[in-house]
Amino acid sequence: MSKIMQAAPNTQRAVPKIKQAAVIGAGVMGAAIAGHLANVGIRTTLLDIVPRELSDKEKAKGLTLEDRAVRNRLAQAGKDRLQKEKPSPLYHKRVADLITVGNLEDDLDRLKEADWIIEAVVENLQIKQSLFSQIEKVWTPGTVVSSNTSGISIEKMVSGCSEDFRSHFLGTHFFNPPRYMKLLEIIPTSDTKPEIVDEMKAFAESVLGKGVVLAKDTPNFIANRIGVYGLLITLQKMMEEGLGPDEVDAVTGRAMGRPKSATFRTLDLVGLDTFVHVADNVRENVDDPEEQKAFEVPEVLRKMVANGWLGTKSDQGFFKKVKGEKGKEIHALDLQTMEYRPRKKLKAPSLEMAKRAKSLPEQLKALVYAKDPAGELAWYITKKVLLYSAARIPEIADDIVSVDRAMKWGFNWELGPFEIWDAIGVEKSVARMREEGETIPLLVEELLASGAKSFYEKSPMEVKAFQIGGRFSEVEEHEKVISLAQLKEQGKVIHSNRGASLIDIGDDVACLEFHSPKNAIAGDIIQMINTAVKEVSANYRGLVIGNQGGNFCVGANLMLILMEAQDQNWPELDLMVRQFQKTMGSLRYMDKPVVAAPFAMTLGGGVEISLPCDRIQAAAETYMGLVEPGVGLIPGGGGNKEMLIRWTEGIDPKDTMALRSVVNKIFEIIGTAKVATSAMEAKEYKFIREYDGITINQDHLIYDAKQVVLALEKAGYRPPLPKKIPVVGETGYNTLRLGAYGLLQSGYISDHDYKIATKLAYVLAGGTLPEGTLVDEQYLLDIEREAFLSLAGEPKSQQRMQYMLAKNKPLRN
């Protein structure tokens, strides 16, 4: 049994207890891996080499090469960088305290304490081999050791090590940045114990929140092998057609179900030097002349690297920010002149048709089968990537599912290659490929010969994927994955309307799923919440509020609010807000436990739906904020009241200093529209309470929320009793208003900001009551609603709402 499994609990799927880790190499990836280990509570030692010369700053301080600060400089720089980078690699700056720095000469013995040792040094086989021989000298038998290499042979790295060491060694290729990128490729060698692979897969999924694919020890593994190939053939095609990177990106982004950064913006973000290195690694390590040719880097790209045009990190690559008449503009590189020019988009009917498609398969078919420049480009790129992916099985992976997941999790594609093939039609696309003289891979020939028409067979109960040998096998999912879409196909919908559905997720627990456009709250969602309260109260053990869309909820339907305000339909708008407030109250005092499962953008009304719930089980990547001031309003669905309940809990109403302090804090959080950058930071703002849960792997979120419901019910759940809430009253109101006036006078806020701030101050202070007065919830809801309606009638608030709807960013008027 391996060291990390000795303390593992007896569960259905044993997850190893890794309490301490060590990362060797404090560069961009090494430090970021250490940062993510710290994110999930693992104490981590970060080591790097000892500098051979002093920096100017060290000389000025009179330090020598023997001083610890100098010897640990590189590791310390890696740790410091984590606290400065944006977006942050850390859930919260305080997690950096879990990282201890050192160096490979003084601190190698610290590796004895680690449950997992990760190598992340320079991509050089000889250096890695030398390092692993050093590691083995202090290695505690049973400890897992891995390399984060992006393409060097895992087997060769430890070829000189003992059999026992090799049996505990494997590749763990994180994608950058490790906090945000889901993919982790695990690459075992022929010597790696199978149980080590299983343990590390379970750990990465459950503790690190990763999507794991098992890859083979081949150049660049799965995602980079296919992804780099696709980027290179796109670059080659662009040059053949005389197109610009901006024109190509108009086709290869959202239109093809890929990220907005498309091809060349992605290359700029990755770094052209890094890309060239990865491409060269494949070309130098494959035997097929045709494949070697495919991975040849065009001379223009090498010239860009030689010029130092490396992309975002050097402020220019395929794109460059320049000063224009309207401020900063983004210009694109003209590969013919090697000069930058204003951006332009490739215009084609197929792109417009793709935009109007109702589903991604329809969108892809509209694009790749179109006979216009955009369609021809999309077809060529798609064709080449599909053929290449199929031809690489079983070389790089044993199954199509691993390839599809690698591309979705590592490159953020909406569909993997074989899912794309199914979407555009295997028979139709292969027929065209044959006409164009392409060689069809054996895997595809076997599929068609079997009589099957797609790589995946889907039914309400299961999904099967085609395998080499002409058979289909079930696609395995983690036991904590609950698919709401699949449950709906199985007929588990209890109630449904246009905006939301109530779904039976098993064990007598229901899930309220939003599915309105952008999950914005309107009357249909409010109606379904009320339906859910009645249904669950009568027939279920509890309720989860969650969904599996792009974001949990971006707030109320702003267009609806604006239209009613512009029409001065105040009775209707008042009724809407009253209904929202009343519905949130029904969630708070329901006789069955309610657990919210927020994730990603959880803004405005999305926060107000979460706050009254008995518990919140949030995804680690949850960005919560009461952002209404950005659109000229204040929270109107009970958000102010709920924040007062949370922040004043346990405070003696007579302790006016403590009361003022927390109300000032709430005023700052809401007034400045603070958005937490993680669930951990959301706890700091008390959007999430200390006893609420955080799920690292978002795929497990609904499952985890359901377990919280069941635990509350089993413990004999009783709904909370209404509480009186202490307010700071007129004295506190004047203090808050005075602070806002100071900001106005200093030019930090506008007149309209000040108006919003005074309305917010009035609500949070509880009006002009005596300080320390205890009020009921309805009193606070009434003054909150009045303030909301008053601001909705302000022309400048309506301008802010219009601007947000048009530009998707706040207007400061």
Side-chain angles (χ1 to χ4, degrees):
M1 183 179 287
S2 72
K3 176 183 172 183
I4 58 175
M5 279 303 295
Q6 290 169 8
N10 291 319
T11 59
Q12 183 179 355
R13 192 175 206 172
V15 177
K17 290 283 188 182
I18 294 179
K19 296 180 180 179
Q20 293 208 127
V23 178
I24 302 171
V28 172
M29 279 304 295
I33 291 169
H36 191 55
L37 292 170
N39 282 337
V40 299
I42 298 172
R43 294 191 173 277
T44 304
T45 299
L46 181 62
L47 305 180
D48 211 311
I49 60 173
V50 175
R52 296 295 172 233
E53 56 184 34
L54 295 169
S55 68
D56 291 340
K57 286 185 179 180
E58 289 164 344
K59 290 175 183 175
K61 290 179 180 178
L63 299 175
T64 71
L65 288 171
E66 298 307 311
D67 283 303
R68 260 298 205 172
V70 175
R71 297 175 71 80
N72 292 350
R73 184 216 305 159
L74 297 178
Q76 186 64 50
K79 178 180 176 179
D80 292 344
R81 194 168 58 248
L82 293 175
Q83 300 175 76
K84 298 173 184 175
E85 288 180 0
K86 290 186 179 181
S88 176
L90 307 177
Y91 289 158
H92 195 287
K93 284 187 177 181
R94 67 171 176 263
V95 306
D97 294 341
L98 293 174
I99 301 173
T100 305
V101 300
N103 67 76
L104 284 168
E105 292 180 17
D106 303 323
D107 304 300
L108 202 62
D109 275 357
R110 288 199 206 170
L111 301 185
K112 293 177 180 178
E113 304 164 6
D115 302 309
W116 181 19
I117 301 168
I118 307 166
E119 170 273 312
V121 302
V122 64
E123 291 285 70
N124 179 289
L125 179 59
Q126 286 71 38
I127 290 174
K128 290 179 187 288
Q129 288 175 329
S130 174
L131 176 61
F132 285 120
S133 68
Q134 285 182 272
I135 291 171
E136 187 172 13
K137 292 174 184 176
V138 295
W139 175 67
T140 302
T143 298
V144 172
V145 185
S146 70
S147 171
N148 182 59
T149 182
S150 59
I152 292 178
S153 170
I154 304 297
E155 195 113 17
K156 289 179 181 177
M157 288 182 200
V158 291
S159 57
C161 296
S162 68
E163 183 180 346
D164 192 22
F165 186 89
R166 296 199 310 272
S167 71
H168 288 80
F169 180 75
L170 70 166
T172 51
H173 180 215
F174 288 82
F175 272 62
N176 191 33
R179 170 184 167 180
Y180 300 99
M181 293 302 293
K182 185 173 179 176
L183 180 61
L184 176 70
E185 292 176 318
I186 287 183
I187 311 100
T189 71
S190 58
D191 296 312
T192 309
K193 289 182 177 179
E195 59 265 31
I196 295 293
V197 178
D198 292 341
E199 290 164 13
M200 292 307 294
K201 183 176 186 292
F203 171 80
E205 289 171 337
S206 297
V207 181
L208 298 180
K210 294 298 176 186
V212 175
V213 297
L214 298 182
K216 296 190 177 182
D217 192 8
T218 54
N220 288 37
F221 314 127
I222 300 174
N224 276 344
R225 181 79 168 266
I226 294 171
V228 170
Y229 172 84
L231 290 167
L232 279 170
I233 60 109
T234 303
L235 176 58
Q236 291 157 2
K237 188 66 173 175
M238 177 180 74
M239 295 172 66
E240 285 176 18
E241 300 295 329
L243 297 170
D246 45 353
E247 294 171 299
V248 173
D249 275 3
V251 178
T252 60
R254 296 283 192 221
M256 290 179 64
R258 298 184 184 182
K260 189 178 179 181
S261 57
T263 301
F264 296 101
R265 181 74 185 113
T266 296
L267 277 175
D268 276 358
L269 291 168
V270 168
L272 272 60
D273 52 340
T274 301
F275 176 76
V276 168
H277 170 78
V278 174
D280 284 345
N281 184 60
V282 178
R283 183 175 51 80
E284 293 165 6
N285 289 283
V286 295
D287 299 324
D288 180 9
E290 283 297 313
E291 193 170 6
Q292 289 173 345
K293 185 178 179 182
F295 279 88
E296 284 181 2
V297 175
E299 198 55 42
V300 68
L301 198 54
R302 295 194 186 277
K303 185 176 180 180
M304 290 172 70
V305 172
N307 289 348
W309 301 354
L310 307 180
T312 306
K313 60 187 172 185
S314 64
D315 296 323
Q316 71 180 103
F318 284 101
F319 297 95
K320 179 183 180 181
K321 284 185 179 179
V322 299
K323 286 185 179 179
E325 294 178 2
K326 299 179 181 179
K328 284 190 175 180
E329 300 174 357
I330 298 177
H331 283 196
L333 181 65
D334 185 321
L335 295 180
Q336 308 300 319
T337 64
M338 295 302 284
E339 293 181 356
Y340 291 89
R341 54 158 177 78
R343 285 190 297 178
K344 54 188 179 182
K345 282 190 176 182
L346 184 64
K347 294 181 180 180
S350 61
L351 290 173
E352 293 304 314
M353 289 172 61
K355 282 181 184 177
R356 293 194 294 269
K358 294 181 179 179
S359 67
L360 184 53
E362 289 180 19
Q363 180 178 312
L364 288 169
K365 283 186 278 192
L367 187 60
V368 301
Y369 292 126
K371 298 297 183 180
D372 62 24
E376 294 290 350
L377 177 64
W379 165 254
Y380 179 82
I381 294 167
T382 300
K383 173 183 73 171
K384 288 296 187 183
V385 169
L386 298 188
L387 290 169
Y388 185 76
S389 300
R392 297 281 74 78
I393 289 179
E395 179 194 346
I396 63 174
D398 285 326
D399 59 274
I400 66 170
V401 177
S402 293
V403 172
D404 280 345
R405 287 176 172 173
M407 298 314 298
K408 289 190 290 185
W409 296 341
F411 279 76
N412 291 324
W413 291 8
E414 289 185 50
L415 298 175
F418 297 96
E419 292 171 322
I420 291 171
W421 220 324
D422 283 357
I424 65 173
V426 179
E427 287 184 316
K428 181 178 180 179
S429 58
V430 169
R432 181 173 171 182
M433 291 172 188
R434 292 192 203 278
E435 289 174 7
E436 294 173 359
E438 300 289 354
T439 301
I440 308 302
L442 176 62
L443 179 71
V444 187
E445 296 284 19
E446 284 185 343
L447 175 81
L448 296 174
S450 74
K453 297 183 183 298
S454 62
F455 285 98
Y456 290 92
E457 289 183 348
K458 298 181 181 180
S459 72
M461 300 306 297
E462 64 182 1
V463 177
K464 292 184 176 181
F466 187 73
Q467 304 289 339
I468 291 174
R471 62 184 178 85
F472 282 84
S473 62
E474 186 176 353
V475 176
E476 289 187 10
E477 288 285 3
H478 194 282
E479 60 264 23
K480 288 188 176 182
V481 172
I482 293 176
S483 169
L484 296 180
Q486 194 166 25
L487 288 173
K488 288 161 83 171
E489 288 180 7
Q490 292 169 11
K492 300 295 185 181
V493 176
I494 307 164
H495 298 286
S496 185
N497 63 24
R498 289 180 63 185
S501 294
L502 188 65
I503 305 165
D504 186 335
I505 57 174
D507 298 311
D508 293 326
V509 177
C511 178
L512 178 64
E513 175 204 34
F514 303 158
H515 45 66
S516 63
K518 297 185 179 179
N519 285 348
I521 302 164
D524 46 11
I525 285 181
I526 298 299
Q527 180 187 20
M528 189 53 62
I529 294 175
N530 287 316
T531 299
V533 168
K534 292 176 185 176
E535 179 71 40
V536 172
S537 178
N539 300 310
Y540 288 82
R541 297 167 72 180
L543 176 67
V544 170
I545 301 178
N547 64 77
Q548 293 168 333
N551 295 292
F552 176 73
C553 177
V554 297
N557 187 323
L558 196 59
M559 176 63 78
L560 188 60
I561 294 170
L562 177 61
M563 288 171 60
E564 297 293 357
Q566 288 178 331
D567 291 344
Q568 298 186 15
N569 194 351
W570 305 120
E572 182 65 28
L573 193 53
D574 178 74
L575 179 61
M576 284 168 53
V577 180
R578 282 179 188 271
Q579 287 177 334
F580 191 14
Q581 291 180 341
K582 184 179 179 181
T583 301
M584 294 307 98
S586 69
L587 283 178
R588 170 174 273 280
Y589 296 111
M590 183 178 163
D591 62 352
K592 298 290 178 66
V594 183
V595 177
F599 62 93
M601 302 304 289
T602 302
L603 305 175
V607 177
E608 290 180 301
I609 284 175
S610 302
L611 295 181
C613 295
D614 297 296
R615 292 288 189 278
I616 292 176
Q617 183 70 31
E621 299 298 341
T622 299
Y623 317 120
M624 299 184 86
L626 291 166
V627 296
E628 286 86 350
V631 291
L633 303 170
I634 67 167
N640 303 288
K641 179 260 296 182
E642 290 291 338
M643 290 292 278
L644 282 168
I645 290 174
R646 286 167 181 245
W647 280 88
T648 60
E649 190 172 12
I651 292 179
D652 185 342
K654 296 176 183 177
D655 189 349
T656 55
M657 292 297 290
L659 198 55
R660 287 184 198 176
S661 176
V662 298
V663 172
N664 286 343
K665 184 65 178 177
I666 303 168
F667 183 65
E668 177 195 349
I669 292 169
I670 300 177
T672 58
K674 285 189 181 294
V675 176
T677 59
S678 68
M680 190 179 289
E681 189 175 34
K683 287 192 172 186
E684 187 175 299
Y685 301 148
K686 297 198 178 180
F687 295 137
I688 299 175
R689 294 153 296 199
E690 279 304 317
Y691 54 79
D692 286 326
I694 296 177
T695 295
I696 306 299
N697 191 328
Q698 191 173 305
D699 290 345
H700 303 171
L701 183 59
I702 300 294
Y703 174 92
D704 288 347
K706 174 182 165 182
Q707 301 313 304
V708 178
V709 167
L710 294 172
L712 288 171
E713 192 265 349
K714 188 177 180 181
Y717 174 79
R718 292 290 182 272
L721 296 173
K723 292 181 180 179
K724 295 284 188 177
I725 304 157
V727 296
V728 293
E730 186 172 16
T731 304
Y733 169 54
N734 289 332
T735 302
L736 294 173
R737 190 171 55 172
L738 183 62
Y741 185 73
L743 293 173
L744 174 66
Q745 292 298 103
S746 302
Y748 289 108
I749 62 174
S750 68
D751 288 339
H752 194 56
D753 288 327
Y754 177 66
K755 181 172 285 189
I756 297 166
T758 57
K759 296 283 186 182
L760 177 63
Y762 186 85
V763 173
L764 293 176
T768 55
L769 298 171
E771 190 170 19
T773 300
L774 293 170
V775 300
D776 59 29
E777 292 181 43
Q778 192 57 51
Y779 170 80
L780 289 171
L781 289 172
D782 288 342
I783 62 173
E784 175 180 295
R785 186 178 66 257
E786 290 165 8
F788 179 91
L789 292 170
S790 171
L791 286 169
E794 292 284 342
K796 287 192 175 181
S797 287
Q798 293 176 13
Q799 288 171 14
R800 289 191 179 194
M801 287 186 260
Q802 283 179 316
Y803 194 84
M804 176 61 74
L805 288 166
K807 306 284 188 179
N808 199 31
K809 57 184 179 181
L811 170 69
R812 304 318 296 250
N813 55 353

